[in-house]
Each structure stands twice: as C-alpha cells, then as structure tokens.
Amino acid sequence: MSQSPVSGGDLTKVPPVFSPDAQALICACGRVVRVYSTSTRTLLRQLVGHTDQITTLVLRHSTSSQVYTSALDGTVRLWDFSEGRLIKTFTVGHPVVSLVPPSPQNIGAKNAKHVYISIRFKKEATGEQQGRVCLYDLGSQSIVKFVAKTSAGVHLYSSAPGNYVAALDRRRALVWNTSDGSLLTLRHTKKLTALSFDPAETQVAAGDVTGRILLWTNFFNMEDFNEDEQQAAAACSTYHWHSDIVRSLQFSADGSYLLSGGVEGVLVQWQLETMLQDFLPRLGGEICSIVNNPRDPSIHVVACDTNSLKVVNLATMSIESTMQGVSPNPIRNLQFITSQPSDLHMQRARGPDLVRLDPKTGFLALSAPNCGVQFFDVGSNQHISTLEVEPRNFATVKKGKQQYQQPQLATYLSHFAFSHDGEVLATIDARPLVDAGELGMAGTLFENPEEECLKFWHRSVTGHHPFKINTRADAPHRKPITSLVFHPHADLAVTTSSDSQFKVWGPVALPKRPNSGKDEDDRPSVCWSCRSVGSYRNESLSNATFAHDGSVLGIAAQDSITLWQVESNMLLGVLATQPQCKTIAGLCFVAQSPNLVAICRGSADTVVMWDLVTMQVVWTMQMQAQMLFTHPRHNHFGIVVPIERDYDNSDAQGGDLIVRPAHVLLFEGYGVEPIMGWRLNKTSVGYVQFMPSVQSGDRVVIVTQDRDIVTCDRVIDDVSMPEQLGRESGSESGVEKNGVETAVAANASSSRPGSVLEAVFGKPPTKLTGSGNARKNDEVVLLNKLKDGVEG
C-alpha cells in the first residue's frame, strides 16, 4: 500500500516567507513545508521530515536559499528549499515554539552559531505548561543558557539586521541585544499580542488585546530605559483604531509606514510621520500575519484565518491575487456564535466534519466560513471554487474582554449532500435564534432553537459558480434537522429531525407559463417539494442512510433502527439494540451483502452488525467508535476509533487544544477482524471516505481535524499484506507521514484471531455473537428482496 503526499492543511498558522528573489513563497503547513511559485501559485515542492506541528519558518539570512524550521517534535531543521533537500537536523529535546536564526552581524564571532529558541514543557509536579527562552548552540546541539522564564511557549520576533530579538509574555515585551545579551523590558497594562521592529532598529511597535498600538522610539538606549521608567513611558506613543485584538504588525521596507491587522479583517496602513491611516477592508477573515516582498516594497502578503494568502498592493490599496488553501472547519467555532451555546451547537461542533465527495467531478466539498461550500481538488492540492449558500459579510466576534451584549446570529451550514450523479446539491443552513419567540411562533408549532432553511441547487453549465439555486424551503421541520441523505440511484432526498418525522423530497415538473417569452428559458423546469412524511412511535429520528441499491432506507429512532421502503413509506422492520444502548450514533449498509452496521451509544459503547435476511446480530464489539464509512461498490466498511488517551496539542501561544488520535480500521464482509488500518498520531479524524478511481484504483481519503488531507491508494488490492496494526509511531514497520502512520493488518483468516484488535486496544474488545434481537411486540415485515439479501 502506498500513501500519496499530504494535501490541504493550514497555510497561515505560521507566517510564510519569500525567497530572496521573491520568485517563491515558502509556507509551513502542518508537518510539511510547501514551496509555491509566486507567479503561477502552483506547488513546486514539499519538504517532509518533521513529525509534529511546525512552529517557525525563517530564512537562514536574507540572501540564502536555505530555511530553518522548528517544530513541536523537539527538532530544528535546516533545508535547501530550492533543491527540496534536508541539510541537517538539530535535536533540542523539548517542543520548540519559536526560533530566531543566527545574526549575520555575528559571523566569525564565538556566538556565530547561537540561536534564540523558545521551548515549552510540562512541569512534572503540577502538569502546568511552562516556557523558557534559551540560547542554543547549533554546533554542539546543546542549550547554552536560559535567558528568560515565560508563562508558556512564546513567539520570538527579530529585527531585520538581526541585532535585536524580542518575546511577548503577557503584559511585557522582552528585548535582547544579540551582541551582548543585554535585556530590556517594556511593560504595558494589557496583554501584548503582536510586535515588529522597524528596519533601522530605532522603533519597536506592539499591539494589545484591546486594539491599541504602542510605539517606542529610540529604544536602543537600553540601559537608560531600564533605569528610568518615566523615560521609557515618555518614549512610548499610543494609537488606537482596532476594536479588538491586534494580530499582526509589520513595518514597510523603508520604515515610513506601519501595517496592522486584527480580527476585523481590515488592513490598516499608518503613515508614521502624521499617523494618518489608510484602509483595505473586507479581506474576508481575521488577519494572522503580514509579510514584506523583498523585491517590491509596495507588495505584501496578508495571511487570513480563512486559510488564504492575499497579495496586496499598497500603492493602490487593492488585492492583486489570492492563494486559497483548504477552508478551515467553521462548525467547530460554533461556541463563538452565541454567548451561551446550546447542546445542539456543541453536538454539531464535536461531530464529524462536514465534508463530502462530489460524485461528478471527484472534488472534495467542504464546509467553509461565512456559510459556504468549498470545492477542493485533492490531486492538484488546489482550491477550485466556493459556493455561497447564504451570502453574508464577514462578521467579527469579540474575543477580548469586551463582549457583544446580544448573541451573534451567524448563519452556518449544518448539513449538505450530493445526489447520486452530482447534478443536485442539497444544503441546510441554520441561524441560531435569540429566543423561541423570534419567529412569532412561541408556544405554537415551532420549537426549533434555530431558523433552518433547506435549499436544492442544480449544477450550473455556465457561470463562475458551480451550482445555481433551484428550490428554497424555509423551516422544513419543527425541530432541528439531524440528517440529510440522497437516494443512491434516484432523484430523492430524505431529511430526518428530532420532531419525530422524516420527509422524502423529490422533483416536480413545473407547468409552462403562457406568453412567457425569453424569461421561460431561464426558468427551471422542475422544483423540489415534500412528497411524503413518515414517523415511528413519536421518537426522535436521525442518521438516515440508504442501502446501496436504494431498496431500503434505514433510520435511527432513539435506540432502535427502523427499515423502510421509501417509495411507499412502508415499515419493513425494526432492529432493537441491547438494553445499555441509548442512542444510535452512526449507521451504514454494507454493499454486496445483507449487512447493516451501527454505532450504539450508552453505558457501554458498541458497534453492532446485523444480517437483514435473518434479522439477527452477526457480531457485537464494545468500542468507542467515532464514525462509520462504507465502500460504494465492494463489501468493505470502516470504523474510526479514537485512541483512549488525549494528546495536548497546545498552540504556540499557549492555548489548549485537546485532540483525539484515532485508528481507522477497515473491515470486509462479515469479518470481525480488521483487514487493514491506519493510525493518526497527534491529530483527530474529521472525515473518512472511499474515493473510487478507475485510473489509480480505489483510495481512502482521511481528512483530519486540522483539514490535512491524506489519500491512501489501492485499498482493495492490498488487503492481504501481512504487517500488523498498532505498533508505536516511528517503529520500523510503520511509515508515518504528517502524523498518519499506515500499517496493514493480516486478513480475517489469520491464524491469530483477535491479534490486530489486541494490538490496537491493548486487549481484544468484547465480542458477542447474537441470535436475533427484533422486538417481539413489533411486527417485522420484510420484502422478498430482503430475504435474498440486499441486491448489489
């Protein structure tokens, strides 16, 4: 089995750098470094070697074709980005949060190989995160001395000539002179968030959480500043335009202007002599960093948190081009939409990622910020287009101490799905309500805490956007919609809701209007409407899924699974679960077999397989499964199982992010033993799906929580390779790329039953064989085609 290079990922978490000739833009993306052409914006090469998140990317010096990278794997690496070659690896032994390269002024001196690094570690006694700023010797690969103790790992800033290095630690800025190591402390009353030196090293600017910008002049007289606080205060000027956190500061190449950006998505240019401002608004997201072009002082690259890099011309204050990466997952930020997020918001934020496969083009479709759907080509690692489901402007949410008085009513995408041929896209967008009476329906029919809208889009032959809206249905259910799915062969869609109903939607031909003229050509020939409604025992419904031939519709009803014939809404049967099961969290049919697999949540989470011919349980396995996925043609299905231990992937600024590493296990037919698997280290799984391909064979696509995209090739051909799953990361038999270790398990006929599961879980999960569990008080009715198995 082979693994293709990782695509997707975050281009903006680490500030990018230009090559000295400005012909290439170098970006750190997760655990890899990507080199892009500035003229064509195509990927030239990738630098692969780090095993954890890269935290710093910096040129060795201004005329070099070499870059230093630091990472949370405890190493510093030197690369030749023009050749794509690793030159040397330096082992630090602690997660490296930031790095400043050796100063060009120190060439030939004793400290010529000394670099400033910021490291992070946990205090053994309390588990508290602590940080240190150190001098590290690249020659001996050892820490020379600790120069500062910080609250957590902090980011380091360097002046262009390299004579000064600074770090921000809460309400103070620490500035070191690299020639003699002397320290200057600049204090403030608020937390500092960004810093920049001017090219002449006479001024230093810092931004804080309230939107203020502080400008210290003549700070190089360090000895006087440390002894006289009044002189330090007098040398500081304060300017205020931003309404919230200042995320980035950057002086222009000639030192005449200061650029600032924050959460408002507005680039502000300050003329330093007069402090007059010029603005470039509506950048679409928070500004993360600003980078100067070494060849053209008027050109800058602005990185936004929408994972986009915008080339900005300051002379005209306009955007010349945009390089868009894979969109970040917006639904995980639902806790910022309202001041008091509901259980529904948190459930959706913690659920599987909203990612689907466009069956017509093969592109990945991902939910995007500002209620959009992004189409992304995994093969070329390129953004294709974005569909605005509910057009809206970028709205900021206060992140500092100042909070909005009312909840932010931001519309977001909760569900979307494609028809079998990819010609129709169905979306559901939701807007949280302040209270139940906002629609004027309090105490009546509607009890939905969100205003939902179901839309059907038809693929557009012409125009920039891939789809054009056809039908809009406001408030399609009385309570929140829990799932949306299309029929695998017909133009039918099904929605389920916690209002105990499921609805079947289909196209209806529109009559031609007399004497319509040319307008009739633009009018659609069909629209979508609800053709039938079903329910079961007034129970909340979720997780609708079709059998692969479309003959059976499965819907979870609390702790039961109902089977329906969708054409007539006839109840074919009911599968009851074990007593400890409270809800069904996942459901899928297995192709070319009469099997149905479900994830049951309760006092003991289990994965259960039923045989729909006998209505009996084939096997039950106790495991905390996260999601299911199935192959569209073969009898293969997969289970994502989070590893029990959490991994603290705190970011470079000290924020906490707990992720769940996971195993992706592949099963075949009735087998209870995985035939193949992958382990994701130090990241969480957001989405997994089979990607059929005639040319290169079927592949498994894994999208991580950070939206790194990994494709694993030739799934069906390699199921009998003898390697075992579950070895530790870095072992000889595992190949780790960007935190995804691939390993292939022996097939179900292995002479050591349970060996793979034992390797994965430490001990084999409990496996029970059932003899049938349909409820006796339910009449189980099956069609003849069910008795012969689900037709493939």
Side-chain angles (χ1 to χ4, degrees), residues 536-537 539 557-562 573-579 581-582 584 610 615 772-781:
Y536 176 75
R537 288 188 168 184
E539 293 185 354
Q558 294 290 357
D559 59 344
S560 304
I561 299 173
T562 59
V574 180
L575 302 175
T577 57
Q578 296 178 348
C581 177
K582 303 301 180 184
I584 306 296
W610 282 273
M615 298 296 287
N773 62 345
R775 290 177 175 172
K776 294 181 179 180
N777 58 348
D778 286 325
E779 287 189 16
V780 180
V781 182

Side-chain angles (χ1 to χ4, degrees), residues 217-356:
T217 58
N218 299 323
F219 73 93
F220 53 84
N221 197 347
M222 307 176 74
E223 185 176 348
D224 293 339
F225 271 34
N226 279 328
E227 293 178 356
D228 191 345
E229 293 186 3
Q230 292 184 353
Q231 182 180 353
C236 178
S237 302
T238 302
Y239 305 95
H240 199 178
W241 180 88
H242 297 278
S243 62
D244 207 338
I245 302 173
V246 178
R247 295 282 302 273
S248 181
L249 292 171
Q250 182 66 56
F251 282 92
S252 61
D254 60 1
S256 301
Y257 296 92
L258 174 65
L259 304 177
S260 63
V263 300
E264 307 90 356
V266 178
L267 180 65
V268 184
Q269 181 178 235
W270 304 77
Q271 210 286 332
L272 291 178
E273 287 188 2
T274 63
M275 294 312 293
L276 295 177
Q277 305 105 35
D278 199 2
F279 307 98
L280 179 60
R282 294 184 292 275
L283 292 181
E286 300 180 14
I287 295 177
C288 303
S289 60
I290 306 168
V291 180
N292 294 339
N293 186 314
R295 293 294 183 180
D296 190 344
S298 64
I299 300 298
H300 291 68
V301 168
V302 178
C304 296
D305 69 344
T306 54
N307 201 20
S308 62
L309 301 175
K310 302 179 185 296
V311 180
V312 174
N313 190 327
L314 293 182
T316 59
M317 289 303 285
S318 62
I319 300 174
E320 292 192 344
S321 62
T322 299
M323 186 170 70
Q324 177 68 56
V326 62
S327 295
N329 187 353
I331 204 168
R332 296 194 181 276
N333 294 324
L334 285 181
Q335 60 267 31
F336 296 119
I337 291 179
T338 58
S339 56
Q340 294 181 344
S342 66
D343 293 339
L344 173 65
H345 300 152
M346 299 309 297
Q347 179 182 0
R348 287 179 174 173
R350 294 169 181 169
D353 198 352
L354 278 178
V355 182
R356 301 292 182 265

Side-chain angles (χ1 to χ4, degrees), residues 559-722:
D559 59 344
S560 304
I561 299 173
T562 59
L563 305 175
W564 304 80
Q565 185 189 43
V566 69
E567 290 82 2
S568 62
N569 274 18
M570 178 186 295
L571 180 64
L572 303 177
V574 180
L575 302 175
T577 57
Q578 296 178 348
Q580 64 267 27
C581 177
K582 303 301 180 184
T583 59
I584 306 296
L587 195 63
C588 73
F589 289 89
V590 182
Q592 296 184 353
S593 75
N595 297 341
L596 176 69
V597 183
I599 299 176
C600 301
R601 295 271 189 261
S603 57
D605 293 352
T606 58
V607 176
V608 185
M609 173 182 281
W610 282 273
D611 187 323
L612 299 183
V613 176
T614 62
M615 298 296 287
Q616 293 183 349
V617 173
V618 178
W619 52 258
T620 300
M621 188 180 304
Q622 291 185 3
M623 65 169 66
Q624 294 182 348
Q626 178 182 347
M627 68 182 75
L628 299 170
F629 62 100
T630 180
H631 197 283
R633 298 189 306 270
H634 301 281
N635 62 340
H636 291 78
F637 66 95
I639 305 175
V640 178
V641 185
I643 300 174
E644 292 183 1
R645 64 180 183 276
D646 289 341
Y647 172 71
D648 184 1
N649 191 30
S650 303
D651 59 27
Q653 284 71 35
D656 293 329
L657 175 62
I658 302 299
V659 299
R660 297 295 304 275
H663 292 289
V664 179
L665 306 178
L666 187 63
F667 295 78
E668 181 180 20
Y670 291 89
V672 70
E673 179 76 10
I675 60 172
M676 186 180 296
W678 301 266
R679 179 172 59 240
L680 276 77
N681 299 308
K682 303 177 182 179
T683 187
S684 298
V685 176
Y687 171 82
V688 185
Q689 188 55 274
F690 288 96
M691 179 181 287
S693 175
V694 178
Q695 290 81 10
S696 58
D698 295 332
R699 299 176 293 173
V700 168
V701 177
I702 302 175
V703 182
T704 71
Q705 176 180 285
D706 297 327
R707 285 196 165 170
D708 290 324
I709 303 172
V710 182
T711 56
C712 304
D713 300 331
R714 298 193 302 277
V715 173
I716 305 304
D717 298 336
D718 290 346
V719 296
S720 60
M721 292 180 66

Side-chain angles (χ1 to χ4, degrees), residues 9 22 51 69 139 153 158 209 230 338 391 426 518 536 548 556 628 686 727 738 753 758:
T51 60
T69 57
S158 174
V209 293
Q230 292 184 353
T338 58
K518 295 181 179 180
Y536 176 75
H548 290 75
L628 299 170
R727 296 181 174 86
N738 211 41
E758 185 172 2

Side-chain angles (χ1 to χ4, degrees), residues 334 337-338 342 344-345 348 371 389-390 392 408-415 427-441 446-455 472-481:
L334 285 181
I337 291 179
T338 58
S342 66
L344 173 65
H345 300 152
R348 287 179 174 173
C371 199
V389 175
E390 182 66 22
R392 55 182 291 264
Q408 296 305 293
L409 306 180
T411 304
Y412 69 96
L413 191 67
S414 61
H415 301 83
T427 63
I428 298 173
D429 54 85
R431 182 176 72 94
L433 302 180
V434 175
D435 53 58
E438 184 174 322
L439 288 176
M441 303 175 182
F446 286 79
E447 305 171 11
N448 198 338
E450 297 182 323
E451 185 180 42
E452 293 184 315
C453 181
L454 171 63
K455 298 176 183 177
R472 174 190 176 114
D474 292 319
H477 285 269
R478 291 176 296 171
K479 290 186 177 181
I481 295 175

Side-chain angles (χ1 to χ4, degrees), residues 376-431:
F376 190 83
D377 188 352
V378 177
S380 62
N381 195 27
Q382 286 186 343
H383 162 82
I384 303 301
S385 62
T386 298
L387 173 67
E388 294 182 342
V389 175
E390 182 66 22
R392 55 182 291 264
N393 292 327
F394 168 71
T396 61
V397 179
K398 290 287 187 179
K399 295 186 176 180
K401 291 185 177 180
Q402 303 176 10
Q403 299 290 335
Y404 286 122
Q405 297 298 320
Q406 296 294 332
Q408 296 305 293
L409 306 180
T411 304
Y412 69 96
L413 191 67
S414 61
H415 301 83
F416 72 92
F418 289 95
S419 62
H420 63 96
D421 56 1
E423 291 295 332
V424 181
L425 169 67
T427 63
I428 298 173
D429 54 85
R431 182 176 72 94

Side-chain angles (χ1 to χ4, degrees), residues 159-209:
S159 61
N163 293 318
Y164 296 98
V165 173
L168 298 180
D169 186 25
R170 295 178 179 175
R171 300 179 180 179
R172 59 176 183 162
L174 308 175
V175 183
W176 290 274
N177 188 321
T178 58
S179 60
D180 57 15
S182 56
L183 172 65
L184 166 67
T185 302
L186 302 174
R187 303 184 185 278
H188 185 43
T189 58
K190 305 295 182 182
K191 181 180 179 181
L192 298 173
T193 56
L195 185 140
S196 180
F197 292 95
D198 78 322
E201 298 183 320
T202 60
Q203 299 181 94
V204 58
D208 69 10
V209 293

